[in-house]
Amino acid sequence: MNRKIIYVVNSASSFLSHRYDAYLDLVRKGEKVKIIIGKSIDKEIESKSLKKLDSYKADYTIMNFKSSGLNPFIELINLIILFKFLSKEKPDTVHSIALKPIIISGLATLFLPKIKNIFAISGLGYIFTKRKKIEIRNLVLRLSFFILFKIILIKKNNFFIVQNNYDRNFILNLKVNSNKINLIPGCGIDLDLFKPGDYKLRKNSILFPARLLKDKGLYDFVEAANILKPDYPEWEFIIAGSSNSDNPTSLTKDELKLLEQNKNI
């Protein structure tokens, strides 16, 4: 009998870039796979990603949760909607990726004991990033997440996939048995799609390829460019990445304008 598996993800774009190959492998094996997708702030990229999923004839449902959503009333409604969906679908496994999907699906399956949870954590994000200044808001959110994780772990058939030892230790500190945690070196890439190109290398250039987040070291890169460019004018300092993010350390429109005016990058 073929299994029924449901993915719970924050966005279609992240699913396509990080999980689509695994999804496709399951479909080819005859498994019944559905995707639950939250609301992304980057509407342009998300629209293109949803069109791709449509072209692949993927079975997906869009729900109203957001990775940055903190309104308890809205999150309760999202939780109830997800619980009803899972109760109706009766999947064998729910594979949740990133903190918000893990929290809502973990809570939703507490009263659905037959469902196995696979939680994939690729990073603990803004809330658990160490900072020079203590932020009360962050401390409250961090405590809330610890409490919610403890509640979720009442259910025994939860399993974790992590990509670094920091996240593995975080889960171990929640008293999860080590045989329920699988440490992998990353999501990987398709080497048939990503091959060395024939293009000419761009000499004397340094690239910052990432979302435009302060937590990614963006301003460290800008500061380095400001120091080095006057003495090495032949070098280019290039920033390439999306500025549309609901991460609290994302650049504001005014900060982005200032960045665009900087002649050193």
Side-chain angles (χ1 to χ4, degrees):
M1 183 177 175
N2 295 334
R3 294 174 298 171
K4 180 181 279 191
I5 300 164
I6 293 180
Y7 280 86
V8 185
V9 298
N10 278 322
S11 67
S13 57
S14 64
F15 178 80
L16 281 171
S17 62
H18 290 77
R19 310 290 168 175
Y20 181 72
D21 286 340
Y23 159 85
L24 195 59
D25 187 54
L26 290 170
V27 171
R28 286 170 177 164
K29 289 177 179 177
E31 313 287 15
K32 296 178 181 179
V33 189
K34 295 189 175 186
I35 314 159
I36 295 173
I37 302 170
K39 289 286 185 72
S40 171
I41 192 172
D42 196 328
K43 293 181 181 180
E44 183 180 352
I45 292 177
E46 194 68 359
S47 177
K48 291 178 181 178
S49 300
L50 290 172
K51 285 179 181 178
K52 275 192 177 182
L53 286 178
D54 288 333
S55 69
Y56 297 153
K57 297 181 180 179
D59 188 349
Y60 67 86
T61 299
I62 297 175
M63 292 192 179
N64 201 38
F65 63 87
K66 297 178 181 178
S67 61
S68 62
L70 296 174
N71 186 312
F73 300 105
I74 293 175
E75 299 309 325
L76 179 60
I77 292 171
N78 290 331
L79 178 60
I80 293 169
I81 292 171
L82 181 60
F83 173 77
K84 288 181 177 179
F85 184 91
L86 296 176
S87 298
K88 180 182 177 182
E89 293 291 334
K90 296 181 174 58
D92 299 286
T93 302
V94 173
H95 185 13
S96 309
I97 299 149
L99 285 184
K100 176 56 73 65
I102 288 171
I103 293 296
I104 62 170
S105 62
L107 293 173
T109 56
L110 274 176
F111 302 101
L112 301 169
K114 292 183 179 180
I115 296 177
K116 178 197 293 184
N117 281 316
I118 299 177
F119 300 138
I121 300 175
S122 57
L124 293 172
Y126 170 79
I127 294 172
F128 292 93
T129 301
K130 290 182 180 179
R131 305 182 187 284
K132 293 180 181 179
K133 294 181 180 180
I134 296 175
E135 298 179 12
I136 301 300
R137 176 177 177 271
N138 250 31
L139 290 175
V140 172
L141 288 174
R142 195 177 298 183
L143 178 61
S144 300
F145 268 94
F146 272 118
I147 293 170
L148 290 171
F149 263 111
K150 282 292 188 181
I151 294 170
I152 288 167
L153 292 174
I154 293 171
K155 185 180 171 75
K156 298 304 179 185
N157 51 345
N158 294 322
F159 299 86
F160 290 84
I161 299 172
V162 296
Q163 298 184 20
N164 58 68
N165 280 311
Y166 182 89
D167 293 351
R168 182 176 183 273
N169 291 332
F170 173 83
I171 301 302
L172 285 172
N173 287 335
L174 294 171
K175 308 302 180 185
V176 175
N177 195 307
S178 61
N179 63 13
K180 291 188 174 184
I181 308 171
N182 186 14
L183 174 62
I184 63 172
C187 292
I189 60 171
D190 187 342
L191 295 177
D192 291 328
L193 283 176
F194 297 94
K195 299 178 182 178
D198 295 328
Y199 53 83
K200 292 181 180 179
L201 290 177
R202 197 166 173 175
K203 292 183 178 180
N204 297 342
S205 62
I206 301 175
L207 175 66
F208 178 90
R211 286 182 295 159
L212 303 190
L213 305 180
K214 296 163 192 172
D215 279 358
K216 296 284 187 184
L218 175 61
Y219 279 153
D220 296 312
F221 182 84
V222 173
E223 183 180 356
N226 290 336
I227 293 170
L228 295 170
K229 184 70 173 179
D231 294 330
Y232 302 94
E234 72 278 11
W235 279 81
E236 287 184 292
F237 296 85
I238 305 164
I239 296 173
S242 171
S243 61
N244 291 327
S245 174
D246 50 7
N247 187 296
T249 68
S250 180
L251 295 190
T252 64
K253 289 182 179 180
D254 289 338
E255 289 171 332
L256 187 58
K257 285 181 180 178
L258 286 174
L259 198 63
E260 291 170 346
Q261 293 167 8
N262 189 328
K263 294 181 180 180
N264 292 326
I265 53 176

